[in-house]
Amino acid sequence: MYALVDAVSFYASAEKVFDPRIRNKPVVVLTNNDGCICAVCPIARRLGIPKFIPYFQVKSLLEKHGVVVRSSNYELYADLSDQMMNVMSRFCDNQYIYSIDESFLYFDHYDSCIKDWYEYGQQIRKAIWKETRLPVGVGFGETATLSKAANHAAKKLSGFNGVAVIDSQMSRDEILIRMDVEDVWGIGGKIAKRLKFDGINNAAQLAKQNPKHMRKQFSVVTERTVSELNGISCLSWDEIKSPKKEIFSTRSFGQRITTKNELRGALVTHASIVARKVRRQNSLIKKLMIFASSSPHDEYYYKQTIVYPFIMATDNSCEIANAINRVIDSIYSAGVRFYRCGVGAIELNSKAFIQPDLFIPDHTNSHLMQCLDNVNHRYGDSTLKLAAEGHHERWQMRREFLSPQYTSQWRDIPKIQC
C-alpha cells in the first residue's frame, strides 16, 4: 500500500503556525519580490481570492476582505517541512520526499497489522498537527498514482474528512469518476485536452482505456498512468536521485540596479549558489551561461547572454567568479536599469569520471571548497562568501511582508510572556 501525505496550502498554513492571531483569518503568500500570489489558505479561497495573479491587481480586493498578506518566508518553510517529513517517516517502511510539502509513504509489512487504513490516516494527520500545527491530507492507494488520486479526494472532494482510501474496485470507481482527467498525476494540460477531445473527461474513463493504445497515442508515461489507475504498480523511486543535467540560479532584483559593481556582485552571488549545488551532486561545470536583462515591459528592452567554456571543468567558486569578471564588460551596458540576472551551469560532468590534463594544473581546490561548504552548512548561508559578492543588498529579493524567521534566527525566536 502507498500513501501520499500533502500539506494543505503549505506556505499559508506555515505562516499561521507561530502566529495564532491569524489562524482564523484569510492569508495569502506572495512569490519572489512580492510579485504574484502563490498560496491561498482555505479561508481566503472561499472568498474567491485567485492564485497566480499579480499582487497589485488584487490589492484592493485583499484589503476589502481583510486578507493577511505575507512574503515568502523560505527559511521558515524549509524548517517546518523537515519537521513534518520527520513525523510522517515514523509511520511507514519507506519514504520518498516528492516536494517541500508532500511525501510518498510505502507500507511493505503493514498490511497484516493495520486493520483500518482510514483510521491510520487520521493518526498520521493528528500526529503532524500535534507536533507541527500543519494541516495535511492523506491518501492511500494500491499504487503511487492511486494514492495521489486518493489524496486529491481527501483534500478537494466532498465526503472525505482529510483522508481517503482506494483499496477496492468500489472505492476506486467512487473517486475516479469524480476526478477530472486533468487532475490525474502524470496527465498534463496538453494531453488532457487531447483526451477530452476523444471523450475521455474523467479519471474513471481514462482507467478503462487500453494501456498499449495509450502508449501509441501518447507516450509510455501515459501507458503507465493507465496501468497504475487499475492497481498495477509501474512506478518506483530511487533512493538516490539522478544528478541534474543543468543547474540555474536566477532572480529579479528588489530594486533596479545600474552600476557595474552591483551587477557583478549579483552575478557572483548566483554563481556561488550554482557552484554549491554542483558540488553537492559531485559534478563539475564545463560550460557556464551568464545573463542579465532589463524588464520586458521597459520601453527599451536589453538582454545580454554569454556562454563561457572552461578549459578544465571546475566546481571552484573562485574560478567561476573569475569567469564573471572576464565577461562583465560584455554584459553590462551603461544606462540600462537591470531588472534580472542569472547564472546557469549548462554542461555538467561527473566528478567521478573526469579526465585530468597532464599539462594544465588542477585549480578546483576541493579542500578549500569543502571548508567553505562546511562552515556555511554549520553557521548558515553566506557566513563565508566571496568578496566579489559585495555587501550591498539593493538588488536582494524584496520581501516587504516578511514574517519573522521563528526557527532560524535567534532574534525571531517566539517569546512567551506569563
Side-chain angles (χ1 to χ4, degrees), residues 259-272:
T259 70
K260 185 189 298 184
N261 283 336
E262 286 180 316
L263 181 60
R264 179 191 289 111
L267 287 170
V268 173
T269 299
H270 285 303
S272 296

Side-chain angles (χ1 to χ4, degrees), residues 122-289:
Q122 292 294 353
Q123 291 180 27
I124 295 175
R125 294 185 72 228
K126 290 176 182 177
I128 294 174
W129 174 258
K130 180 179 179 181
E131 298 187 37
T132 68
R133 279 299 185 266
L134 290 170
V136 300
V138 182
F140 293 97
E142 297 167 329
T143 67
T145 303
L146 285 175
S147 70
K148 189 83 168 177
N151 181 272
H152 173 83
K155 294 173 60 179
K156 298 185 178 180
L157 299 183
S158 59
F160 299 93
N161 187 24
V163 178
V165 182
I166 298 179
D167 57 356
S168 66
Q169 185 65 47
M170 181 181 298
S171 59
R172 188 185 310 158
D173 292 342
E174 177 187 1
I175 289 176
L176 296 187
I177 201 169
R178 299 171 59 190
M179 187 174 177
D180 192 286
V181 69
E182 191 172 354
D183 293 326
V184 177
W185 187 42
I187 302 298
K190 292 183 179 179
I191 294 179
K193 289 181 180 179
R194 292 173 59 188
L195 289 170
K196 290 181 178 181
F197 183 79
D198 293 334
I200 304 172
N201 297 301
N202 59 50
Q205 293 172 330
L206 177 62
K208 294 178 181 178
Q209 303 305 307
N210 186 310
K212 300 299 181 184
H213 177 69
M214 290 290 101
R215 179 172 185 167
K216 291 180 180 179
Q217 290 291 105
F218 300 97
S219 67
V220 65
V221 175
T222 308
E223 176 194 21
R224 290 173 180 171
T225 299
V226 173
S227 297
E228 288 249 329
L229 289 175
N230 286 284
I232 303 171
S233 185
C234 302
L235 303 176
S236 63
W237 56 77
D238 298 324
E239 293 184 358
I240 302 176
K241 294 182 179 180
S242 58
K244 296 180 179 179
K245 297 181 180 180
E246 294 183 348
I247 295 177
F248 277 81
S249 176
T250 67
R251 184 168 292 167
S252 54
F253 303 123
Q255 301 178 45
R256 300 292 188 93
I257 64 175
T258 56
T259 70
K260 185 189 298 184
N261 283 336
E262 286 180 316
L263 181 60
R264 179 191 289 111
L267 287 170
V268 173
T269 299
H270 285 303
S272 296
I273 294 172
V274 169
R276 183 174 67 247
K277 292 180 178 179
V278 166
R279 291 193 293 269
R280 191 178 300 161
Q281 70 170 33
N282 203 33
S283 296
L284 297 172
I285 303 172
K286 186 62 177 176
K287 287 184 180 179
L288 193 72
M289 177 184 287

Side-chain angles (χ1 to χ4, degrees), residues 327-397:
V327 303
I328 188 67
D329 288 333
S330 300
I331 293 178
Y332 175 76
S333 179
V336 175
R337 300 174 68 245
F338 287 95
Y339 170 77
R340 186 179 184 85
C341 77
V343 173
I346 59 174
E347 184 177 330
L348 295 172
N349 295 336
S350 172
K351 199 171 186 178
F353 303 105
I354 194 67
Q355 176 65 52
D357 192 301
L358 180 63
F359 302 102
I360 300 178
D362 181 9
H363 295 294
T364 54
N365 203 340
S366 57
H367 293 296
L368 176 62
M369 292 299 104
Q370 184 178 3
C371 177
L372 175 67
D373 292 338
N374 288 342
V375 170
N376 286 330
H377 176 73
R378 181 174 181 179
Y379 297 104
D381 290 342
S382 298
T383 300
L384 285 181
K385 62 181 182 179
L386 302 180
E389 295 182 42
H391 299 286
H392 302 286
E393 298 187 352
R394 284 187 57 235
W395 49 268
Q396 295 283 7
M397 181 170 56

